[in-house]
Amino acid sequence: MKNLIFSLLTVFGVLVTVVIISLLLSGTLKDIENRIDSYSIGKDVDYMRIADDFSALYEEFDYKMPLLSLLVSDTDILAIEQSFTDVISYAKAESLDGVLSSISRLGVNLEHIRELSGLNLKSVF
C-alpha cells in the first residue's frame, strides 16, 4: 500500500511539473513570437540593428532551450535555431529579401513549436 501511494505521488508530481513547464514555455514562446510578428523594418533598413535584435532574441530562446528540449523534438528546436541563424546571416549580408523571408519562416516555426510545447491533445498523444 505504501508503494502505491509513493507511485501515485510520483506520477502526480511529474504531471504537475510537466503542466507548469508547458505553461511557462508556451507563454515565453508566445512572447517571442509576438515580438517577431510586431517587428518592423521600416523604410531605412538598419541591418546591424536587425542582426543585434535577433541575436538578443536568439539568446533569450537559447536560455529556455534546455527546458524546451524536454517537451519537443530536437528536429523542431534545430529548425528554430536555423531560422534565427538565417535572419542574422541575411542581415549581416544586407539582403532584404532574405531577412524578410527568414523572419516569416521563423514566425511559423515558433508558432509550430509553441503549439507542440503547450497543453493540447496533439502534444499529449
Side-chain angles (χ1 to χ4, degrees), residues 14-61:
V14 168
L15 179 64
V16 168
T17 302
V18 168
V19 168
I20 290 171
I21 289 173
S22 293
L23 292 174
L24 291 174
L25 284 175
S26 182
T28 301
L29 289 172
K30 182 66 175 172
D31 179 50
I32 293 172
E33 185 182 340
N34 287 338
R35 288 172 30 198
I36 289 173
D37 287 342
S38 66
Y39 193 82
S40 64
I41 293 181
K43 289 184 179 182
D44 296 326
V45 181
D46 185 4
Y47 291 105
M48 290 309 296
R49 182 182 61 86
I50 293 171
D52 292 341
D53 291 346
F54 279 89
S55 293
L57 282 172
Y58 176 70
E59 288 175 13
E60 184 178 336
F61 175 79

